[in-house]
Amino acid sequence: MADDSIAVVDLDRCQPDRCGYECKNYCPPNRTGKECITLRGEEAAEGQPEQIHISEEICLGESCGICVEKCPFDAIEIINLPQELQDEPVHRYGENAFSLYGLPAPQEGQVTGILGPNGIGKTTAVRILAGELEPNLGRHEEEPGWDEVLEAYRGTELQDYIADVRDGDVTISRKPQYVDQIPESFDGNTRELLERTDERGALDSLVERLEIGPVMDQSIDDLSGGELQRVAIAATLARDTDFYFLDEITPYLDIGQRVTAARLIRELAEEEDKSMLVIEHDLAILDLLADTLHVAYGEPGAYGVITSPKSVRNGINEYLSGYLDNENMRIRPNPIEFEEHAPRSVSRADTLVEYPDLTKSYGDGEFTLEVEGGTIRENEVLGVVGPNGIGKSTFAKLLTGNLEPDVGDADLDLDISYKPQYVTIDQHMRVDAFLSSITDQFGSSYWNTEIAQPLQLERIMEQNLSDLSGGERQRVAIAACLSDSADLYLLDEPSAHLDVEQRVQATKAIRRYAEQQDATVLVIDHDIYMMDLLADRLMVFDGEPAVQGRAGQPQSMRDGMNEFLANLEVTFRRDERTSRPRINKPESQLDRQQKDEGEYYYAP
């Protein structure tokens, strides 16, 4: 194989017990007597055939690709690496395994951002920076030691940092990506968890600003996703370490909480000269909190490249355009575009359903939601926005009949397909079996083109539901919701754990489905960009979180956005180059001007 090619075998997908080794039997070098595709020679489970190994020295490369086509489980990738990628990898997990090229460079007193798709090696990079994984410089058979790694980075901006890692002089505080897994590793209440982490004496301030005081004496098992996220951020920032790593701070948080978290991270970097590294898919928040940005690209699960640092604005814009200027590299065939448009004209379609005034209280009146009666129209996408703890998911459960109102009749006589906020797996079956049990459209050309492809389901069809990551689980849940036959499709926070491209593709899939199937869709989400691209009208919730919520009637996008963002005192502007909405700095000239004009989002 050419020096700029690699072969990757996904051992989770390789299932020799269900195939006839077509890859091995049809391989051209094998058929001439060479040993290109062989058996791994590793001990397999009793009665199970061995998985395969590909010799990268003998393989003909991507120009052949016969094994890729013949594998029925998409377990093989033969990839020509970009010609511009001259360096050896920082780390490779083994032959036919994932390779990482490049490392981010943490800087004291700064917030370093990483933007890239899931499965591209960001966590591997952090493990190396934390000293948990010794980089092997691609030499997985004869691994070098830290001294040789340091020599490889001599003269670079990472030299001093690598030396500190080698000497054990780096301490790290890390926030995990999937906060819903915290209860599995901690048994106790919030106060007990956080008091263990208060090394800087900053816990009281963090609890106040993140508004987690009301849950301090609650069991971790009883916290919502948004509460777990804020507790995880507080626990990470309360520690006194050299290096802070935060993996996705925004899932389950409303935009006000996202801005607060971003400000806390920036303050810790600036006021205490700490090194902060943040992986984030919410572009507005990444723009607000980062000083520099590394773009990550490649083939998820096969190889990843982390670029040199860029300015935040240029890094985000290059990532969206699909072309990296300094690297002279196209990373995506088509750009991700944000339309600079006035809000869609309000639909005058027939009414699908009218819902009355509704009231629902929990406990002894500890929380009360009051819903002002309104209408949901046929063939529209109705967006729902508002802070966490204000009753949006309660409203969804009232519509679906999962909750009964205290006042009003919520029996809408509708077939509703519902994706809940928190996607839990209680079935042990494969993805394809699960989805085919929902719809008779499974596998049809329409279903494949309009649902499976944009949601990137092809490569996970053979996997078990219980083995899926949070983002994969989310995409399957969206597909399941859209695959059902219903009068109303209700999706609660479909953007959680999706990367930028996945969010755009999911948004397009939902919007196209609504338009092509004349479907009515109700979407609850905190991603402002997603809501702008999706919704025809907006329903705004306000009140006092965890105490009292009020749901207004559906209204135009302009009026709804202005009401929602005015409550949060946040304004957006448009990037001159890409039309991407960007959060204005508080009390900046543009921020004050837009507030005076009452245009918080759709500014002229």
Side-chain angles (χ1 to χ4, degrees):
M1 185 185 289
D3 291 339
D4 58 353
S5 297
I6 60 172
V8 179
V9 179
D10 188 334
L11 298 181
D12 290 332
R13 299 179 188 278
C14 181
Q15 302 181 49
D17 57 320
R18 299 177 57 206
C19 73
Y21 288 120
E22 288 89 344
C23 58
K24 178 174 176 287
N25 295 333
Y26 283 92
C27 171
N30 276 28
R31 300 183 75 171
T32 62
K34 297 179 181 179
E35 294 186 342
C36 179
I37 300 181
T38 59
L39 303 186
R40 297 183 71 86
E42 298 175 356
E43 185 175 345
E46 185 177 352
Q48 297 296 316
E50 297 174 17
Q51 295 177 305
I52 61 133
H53 167 274
I54 300 176
S55 169
E56 293 182 334
E57 289 74 23
I58 299 174
C59 179
L60 300 177
E62 194 173 354
S63 59
C64 171
I66 289 177
C67 59
V68 176
E69 294 297 323
K70 291 296 182 181
C71 178
F73 307 114
D74 292 327
I76 301 173
E77 289 188 83
I78 308 295
I79 298 168
N80 287 341
L81 296 174
Q83 292 182 355
E84 295 81 357
L85 199 61
Q86 300 294 333
D87 297 334
E88 294 298 320
V90 176
H91 188 77
R92 191 171 191 190
Y93 284 98
E95 193 167 12
N96 302 160
F98 180 85
S99 301
L100 174 68
Y101 297 79
L103 285 174
Q107 300 289 331
E108 290 186 2
Q110 291 196 358
V111 181
T112 302
I114 306 181
L115 173 61
N118 293 325
I120 212 74
K122 301 185 293 291
T123 300
T124 296
V126 169
R127 289 187 64 206
I128 292 172
L129 294 176
E132 298 174 3
L133 177 67
E134 287 193 26
N136 60 22
L137 306 180
R139 290 151 37 198
H140 47 84
E141 293 181 349
E142 298 180 5
E143 297 190 358
W146 276 111
D147 289 343
E148 198 169 342
V149 172
L150 178 59
E151 185 62 32
Y153 281 91
R154 194 169 301 282
T156 72
E157 57 189 339
L158 273 168
Q159 176 182 339
D160 291 342
Y161 188 92
I162 294 292
D164 288 340
V165 172
R166 178 196 62 180
D167 298 336
D169 292 337
V170 172
T171 56
I172 181 171
S173 180
R174 177 188 300 185
K175 190 203 81 66
Q177 179 180 15
Y178 300 118
V179 296
D180 53 348
Q181 296 176 1
I182 292 176
E184 298 175 11
S185 58
F186 180 82
D187 184 18
N189 66 27
T190 305
R191 187 181 304 278
E192 292 168 345
L193 185 151
L194 290 179
E195 286 181 348
R196 294 182 183 183
T197 68
D198 189 20
E199 298 169 354
R200 299 193 300 112
L203 184 58
D204 289 345
S205 175
L206 290 168
V207 167
E208 179 182 358
R209 293 180 63 180
L210 290 168
E211 299 179 332
I212 51 182
V215 301
M216 286 294 283
D217 294 312
Q218 288 187 23
S219 170
I220 289 293
D221 288 333
D222 296 334
L223 301 189
S224 69
E227 290 163 347
L228 279 171
Q229 188 71 268
R230 284 176 284 151
V231 167
I233 292 169
T236 304
L237 300 184
R239 293 194 179 277
D240 186 11
T241 60
D242 304 308
F243 175 41
Y244 295 79
F245 167 59
L246 298 104
D247 196 344
E248 291 193 42
I249 63 170
T250 61
Y252 308 124
L253 298 190
D254 63 51
I255 188 170
Q257 293 165 341
R258 295 178 184 197
V259 170
T260 296
R263 289 173 179 165
L264 286 170
I265 293 167
R266 284 214 56 81
E267 289 170 12
L268 183 55
E270 294 171 353
E271 296 174 8
E272 301 200 25
D273 211 28
K274 298 293 188 179
S275 296
M276 320 292 290
L277 184 64
V278 180
I279 294 173
E280 185 49 61
H281 300 303
D282 185 319
L283 299 181
I285 296 303
L286 191 59
D287 198 7
L288 186 66
L289 70 84
D291 295 293
T292 59
L293 183 69
H294 296 266
V295 174
Y297 67 94
E299 292 285 341
Y303 80 96
V305 184
I306 296 178
T307 68
S308 299
K310 302 173 180 287
S311 74
V312 178
R313 178 172 179 262
N314 287 344
I316 291 176
N317 287 348
E318 288 178 19
Y319 182 79
L320 293 175
S321 73
Y323 180 77
L324 305 178
D325 291 342
N326 291 343
E327 292 75 12
N328 189 28
M329 172 68 61
R330 178 153 296 284
I331 61 173
R332 191 186 314 104
N334 299 307
I336 296 173
E337 296 178 335
F338 292 91
E339 300 177 22
E340 184 174 4
H341 61 77
R344 295 184 179 90
S345 57
V346 176
S347 166
R348 301 298 178 188
D350 293 338
T351 296
L352 172 70
V353 68
E354 290 189 25
Y355 56 89
D357 293 350
L358 300 170
T359 301
K360 177 64 180 178
S361 295
Y362 288 101
D364 297 326
E366 294 176 2
F367 174 79
T368 299
L369 171 65
E370 296 179 351
V371 178
E372 186 177 352
T375 61
I376 301 174
R377 296 171 178 161
E378 293 182 352
N379 313 332
E380 77 167 343
V381 179
L382 177 61
V384 177
V385 295
N388 274 332
I390 211 72
K392 302 184 302 299
S393 294
T394 297
F395 175 65
K397 292 173 183 176
L398 289 172
L399 294 184
T400 61
N402 291 340
L403 282 178
E404 290 292 330
D406 301 323
V407 177
D409 183 4
D411 186 3
L412 306 182
D413 193 25
L414 294 176
D415 287 329
I416 298 178
S417 181
Y418 175 45
K419 187 206 82 68
Q421 180 181 16
Y422 306 119
V423 179
T424 57
I425 298 297
D426 57 4
Q427 300 183 61
H428 297 284
M429 60 192 306
R430 283 180 13 179
V431 172
D432 52 1
F434 169 67
L435 291 173
S436 64
S437 70
I438 293 173
T439 176
D440 56 9
Q441 289 292 311
F442 179 80
S444 69
S445 59
Y446 172 83
W447 192 90
N448 286 335
T449 301
E450 298 300 332
I451 295 179
Q453 289 180 14
L455 293 174
Q456 301 173 9
L457 299 181
E458 297 94 330
R459 285 186 58 79
I460 62 173
M461 283 295 185
E462 300 279 343
Q463 292 185 239
N464 289 319
L465 291 170
S466 56
D467 295 333
L468 300 180
S469 69
E472 291 167 342
R473 194 176 299 177
Q474 187 73 262
R475 297 188 332 254
V476 170
I478 294 169
C481 180
L482 296 181
S483 297
D484 205 357
S485 178
D487 301 313
L488 175 66
Y489 296 85
L490 201 164
L491 297 102
D492 195 345
E493 202 156 343
S495 73
H497 298 306
L498 301 186
D499 63 39
V500 174
E501 294 177 68
Q502 291 167 346
R503 290 182 189 196
V504 170
Q505 292 299 322
T507 298
K508 290 180 178 178
I510 296 168
R511 182 74 207 181
R512 264 201 314 268
Y513 186 86
E515 292 174 347
Q516 295 178 1
Q517 301 298 309
D518 292 332
T520 302
V521 182
L522 189 149
V523 177
I524 301 169
D525 210 282
H526 296 301
D527 189 307
I528 296 295
Y529 302 164
M530 173 178 263
M531 201 59 70
D532 181 31
L533 294 171
L534 264 180
D536 298 297
R537 293 192 300 159
L538 209 58
M539 188 173 177
V540 179
F541 282 60
D542 59 18
E544 184 179 352
V547 177
Q548 183 267 335
R550 186 192 70 85
Q553 291 187 344
Q555 56 188 306
S556 71
M557 286 295 292
R558 181 186 293 277
D559 291 342
M561 279 288 199
N562 283 335
E563 178 185 341
F564 173 52
L565 295 176
N567 292 339
L568 298 171
E569 299 184 338
V570 173
T571 61
F572 283 76
R573 70 188 185 280
R574 296 279 178 176
D575 184 85
E576 295 177 359
R577 178 177 163 187
T578 65
S579 297
R580 170 175 60 88
R582 306 175 66 190
I583 295 177
N584 289 320
K585 290 185 178 179
E587 297 305 313
S588 65
Q589 181 179 349
L590 267 177
D591 182 59
R592 294 195 303 269
Q593 177 183 332
Q594 287 180 221
K595 287 175 178 175
D596 290 342
E597 295 171 351
E599 291 290 355
Y600 285 74
Y601 190 78
Y602 296 107

